Amino acid sequence: GQNIDQPTEMTATEGAIVQINCTYQTSGFNGLFWYQQHAGEAPTFLSYNVLDGLEEKGRFSSFLSRSKGYSYLLLKELQMKDSASYLCAASDSNYQLIWGAGTKLIIKP
Amino acid sequence: NAGVTQTPKFRVLKTGQSMTLQCAQDMNHNSMYWYRQDPGMGLRLIHYSVGEGTTAKGEVPDGYNVSRLKKQNFLLGLESAAPSQTTEYFCAISEAMESYNEQFFGPGTRLTVL
């Protein structure tokens, strides 16, 4: 079957760094997405990885290891506005996105 | 430029009633999707469309129908609503279904079936 695993909830301190992990099992693989979703709002795109390695985009970076079926999202210099759920999604052989349940990130002052 | 809009934002139905959720886009994207988001679960694809006049089933299509008569509109129908269809519905669009295309989401429709 197809499956995405990510932690349910994480807590971090304002100004710190946090890493949110995601493991995936899909039939075929065409890339890994990260989305951010604030409470009561729609998901918004953060990053896309299809090759192994690290993609950096400002305070956010995303890493992919295809051989391990593993990705992480790294958030630096955390701000209170980063409090949100972070959704990991893998694109399968039919280009359909298989979504994780999301990681709720709580930022404390 | 509104991007993706959904109507209504909220709706309460009684079991057995029917309704249509509407999704409209002004980005001229080819692919459109309907998802449901249940607490503690990931987004699940209900139906999708890769172009005007075409639709396909996703992971959880039972109890739903869709139509894409115009490129900018994607309608999700519930013929006979059930309490299990109480959830948040999101419409999304992308330029194409190929994986490198990010999906843009509408603001969501909260449906309660009593």
Side-chain angles (χ1 to χ4, degrees):
Chain A
Q2 307 199 100
N3 192 53
I4 306 284
D5 283 318
Q6 52 181 128
T8 302
E9 186 175 295
M10 298 182 71
T11 301
T13 304
E14 189 178 14
I17 300 173
V18 70
Q19 177 176 312
I20 302 174
N21 296 326
C22 169
T23 58
Y24 63 88
Q25 287 181 300
T26 55
S27 55
F29 178 74
N30 283 301
L32 194 291
F33 291 84
W34 285 95
Y35 282 76
Q36 180 188 59
Q37 185 176 26
H38 285 99
E41 297 183 8
T44 55
F45 170 79
L46 286 177
S47 67
Y48 170 70
N49 295 67
V50 66
L51 300 176
D52 285 355
L54 187 68
E55 295 275 347
E56 296 186 75
K57 192 185 294 186
R59 294 188 299 114
F60 292 9
S61 302
S62 56
F63 172 84
L64 177 67
S65 169
R66 294 176 66 128
S67 62
K68 295 182 179 178
Y70 167 71
S71 173
Y72 68 72
L73 181 69
L74 191 71
L75 292 74
K76 302 176 185 177
E77 301 170 14
L78 286 170
Q79 302 175 9
M80 297 303 292
K81 68 179 182 180
D82 298 329
S83 293
S85 288
Y86 291 87
L87 314 181
C88 172
S91 178
D92 70 9
S93 58
N94 295 317
Y95 298 107
Q96 290 186 22
L97 293 186
I98 309 303
W99 296 79
T103 298
K104 183 178 180 181
L105 178 62
I106 299 169
I107 310 295
K108 295 186 174 180
Chain B
N1 187 344
V4 185
T5 58
Q6 290 182 233
T7 53
K9 295 201 70 171
F10 303 94
R11 184 74 186 268
V12 178
L13 290 178
K14 294 181 180 179
T15 297
Q17 287 185 315
S18 63
M19 79 162 293
T20 299
L21 283 69
Q22 300 186 28
C23 177
Q25 56 129 339
D26 61 5
M27 298 174 73
N28 201 36
H29 281 6
N30 291 309
S31 294
M32 299 185 75
Y33 314 84
W34 275 107
Y35 289 98
R36 59 180 289 165
Q37 187 174 39
D38 299 287
M41 301 183 70
L43 288 157
R44 290 186 291 168
L45 184 63
I46 303 171
H47 286 278
Y48 65 97
S49 167
V50 297
E52 181 180 321
T54 72
T55 63
K57 294 179 179 180
E59 180 187 356
V60 288
D62 294 344
Y64 305 96
N65 56 75
V66 288
S67 65
R68 182 107 181 259
L69 299 179
K70 295 181 179 180
K71 185 177 183 179
Q72 63 267 35
N73 299 117
F74 194 30
L75 306 181
L76 178 70
L78 286 73
E79 289 189 353
S80 179
S84 61
Q85 295 177 306
T86 292
T87 191
E88 185 84 25
Y89 292 89
F90 285 103
C91 174
I93 66 172
S94 65
E95 283 194 42
M97 202 164 175
E98 283 73 26
S99 56
Y100 49 84
N101 290 290
E102 67 182 273
Q103 293 186 11
F104 299 90
F105 285 79
T109 295
R110 180 73 201 174
L111 176 66
T112 300
V113 182
L114 302 175

